[in-house]
Amino acid sequence: MDYRVLGKTGFNISEVSLGTWQLGSKWGDPFDENDAQNTLAAAYDAGVNFFDTADIYQDGHSERALAKFIKGKQDKVFVSTKIGRKLDPHVASGYTAENLTKFVEESLTNLDIDALDNVLLHCPPTPVYYTPEVFFTLDQLKKEGKIKNYGVSVERVEEAMKALDYDISAVEIIYNMFRLRPADNFFKMAKDHNVGIIARVPLASGLLSGKYTLDTTFGKEDHRTFNRHGEAFDQGETFSGVDYATGVKAADELKERLGAGNQLAQMALRYILMADAVSTVIPGASKPEQITRNVAAAELPAFTADQMAVVRDVYDKYIKNPVQYRW
């Protein structure tokens, strides 16, 4: 495992880390504490020292599972959590000093620590980025010692750019073979501001595993079933906003033209790491054996210029319109 600095935090984090949206279960399934602990242990044993979570993941079970796991390891690991999506309705006016402070304190309790390594606003509505008082509240929480760093998880590139106006340490953004726009301008801007990049949804909800077909089905409670058109939350969270049939066709072409065989998922992760602005990529895992697949990406050779061109060509052919223009 190689390590990269996460922006202003100064912390060296594993370039392949662990996103915990699926920790302890597949999407929509009941939480399994043993699976969660075994998955976390497998990741740590493989060199992963960065864990991304959120206060709403598994109704708080994700944070509490991490609390149990990191006992005695706090100086060796970095935990980033997200807040804001407990708001119902999830509107900009809910991002008050009172609510933000409450969310931070609840995460401190769940994680059983004195100060949060990093807090990200969890894909807040766009007007929040134009409400400086929200970020001044986070500045105050830093002064009070409740958080060490803060940043944002975003839906759109424009939101990430606007967030650079504030004293953020990291931006979590969707970046993968089906979401190339962040690399066009934003990555350079982030580097200039010494802001770390956490690449999320790296496999486009599994499309970039190359294993899905037009006949693949998903569970009733899986967002890949109920949010394909943004019915529950931003459409870009599901298959990176790509039409499913189009995504299957594009993934099949990538697999063929890259000669990926059964390694398209690992190659998709390795592609993300070609961007030196990226601090880490955070594929999820619900079982320990999935960790081995994910971390293997770090050992793959760098993409050649021809392979990079293939990714761009497939993107331009299938994905760019409308994804480039929406996110």
Side-chain angles (χ1 to χ4, degrees):
M1 180 67 69
D2 291 326
Y3 299 81
R4 303 184 181 191
V5 178
L6 181 64
K8 296 172 189 172
T9 72
F11 199 94
N12 283 302
I13 62 173
S14 44
E15 61 182 16
V16 178
S17 296
L18 180 63
T20 64
W21 189 3
Q22 305 169 64
L23 184 69
S25 71
K26 294 180 180 179
W27 281 310
D29 288 350
F31 182 80
D32 186 304
E33 179 69 32
N34 287 332
D35 277 349
Q37 293 302 320
N38 290 336
T39 301
L40 292 169
Y44 184 75
D45 289 345
V48 172
N49 69 348
F50 178 82
F51 301 90
D52 172 85
T53 187
D55 55 5
I56 62 166
Y57 287 173
Q58 306 285 19
D59 294 324
H61 285 300
S62 177
E63 284 187 330
R64 290 190 287 272
L66 273 164
K68 182 178 179 180
F69 180 74
I70 66 174
K71 281 293 183 187
K73 303 184 185 74
Q74 286 94 328
D75 60 335
K76 299 177 181 177
V77 299
F78 190 102
V79 176
S80 178
T81 195
K82 297 184 287 293
I83 61 171
R85 297 306 290 264
K86 285 182 179 179
L87 293 170
D88 187 16
H90 184 228
V91 293
S93 59
Y95 280 76
T96 63
E98 180 182 5
N99 282 336
L100 291 171
T101 300
K102 180 180 71 171
F103 296 153
V104 164
E105 290 175 346
E106 288 171 349
S107 287
L108 284 170
T109 298
N110 279 348
L111 287 163
D112 195 20
I113 51 179
D114 297 326
L116 301 175
D117 291 331
N118 191 55
V119 172
L120 302 175
L121 299 183
H122 198 171
C123 299
T126 300
V128 167
Y129 298 90
Y130 296 86
T131 309
E133 291 78 14
V134 170
F135 297 89
F136 297 162
T137 296
L138 295 172
D139 289 331
Q140 181 59 36
L141 290 168
K142 278 182 69 174
K143 291 178 182 177
E144 294 173 6
K146 293 181 179 179
I147 63 178
K148 299 176 183 178
N149 302 277
Y150 70 82
V152 291
S153 182
V154 303
E155 299 289 5
R156 292 169 175 80
V157 172
E158 288 81 6
E159 295 169 342
M161 291 177 172
K162 178 59 182 172
L164 295 175
D165 284 348
Y166 307 104
D167 189 26
I168 61 172
S169 296
V171 168
E172 190 171 285
I173 191 167
I174 298 176
Y175 176 61
N176 58 47
M177 288 176 168
F178 288 169
R179 278 285 193 97
L180 301 187
R181 188 177 169 217
D184 291 346
N185 295 298
F186 172 65
F187 282 2
K188 182 181 184 304
M189 295 173 65
K191 285 184 69 176
D192 289 345
H193 285 77
N194 192 24
V195 167
I197 301 293
I198 304 166
R200 68 189 186 95
V201 196
L203 300 180
S205 306
L207 271 178
L208 286 167
S209 69
K211 297 178 180 178
Y212 296 169
T213 71
L214 295 180
D215 297 324
T216 302
T217 58
F218 305 95
K220 181 181 178 181
E221 300 302 319
D222 190 316
H223 72 101
R224 293 172 293 186
T225 296
F226 66 75
N227 193 56
R228 292 193 182 193
H229 305 287
E231 295 92 334
F233 41 81
D234 192 278
Q235 184 181 352
E237 298 280 348
T238 302
F239 301 127
S240 294
V242 178
D243 168 74
Y244 181 74
T246 302
V248 169
K249 186 183 297 184
D252 286 345
E253 185 163 326
L254 281 170
K255 185 162 57 173
E256 179 183 352
R257 293 177 64 184
L258 292 173
N262 62 359
Q263 282 194 311
L264 183 61
Q266 290 93 329
M267 291 190 73
L269 298 178
R270 184 66 183 89
Y271 174 83
I272 293 169
L273 295 174
M274 291 296 293
D276 61 1
V278 170
S279 303
T280 189
V281 57
I282 53 168
S286 58
K287 298 286 185 181
E289 52 268 27
Q290 294 169 339
I291 296 295
T292 303
R293 177 203 68 196
N294 292 341
V295 300
E299 300 175 2
L300 292 180
F303 271 55
T304 65
D306 286 346
Q307 288 176 317
M308 296 293 285
V310 165
V311 175
R312 175 61 70 170
D313 183 55
V314 171
Y315 174 82
D316 288 346
K317 180 178 178 181
Y318 295 104
I319 309 298
K320 184 175 182 178
N321 184 15
V323 169
Q324 174 95 358
Y325 308 105
R326 292 191 61 185
W327 290 280

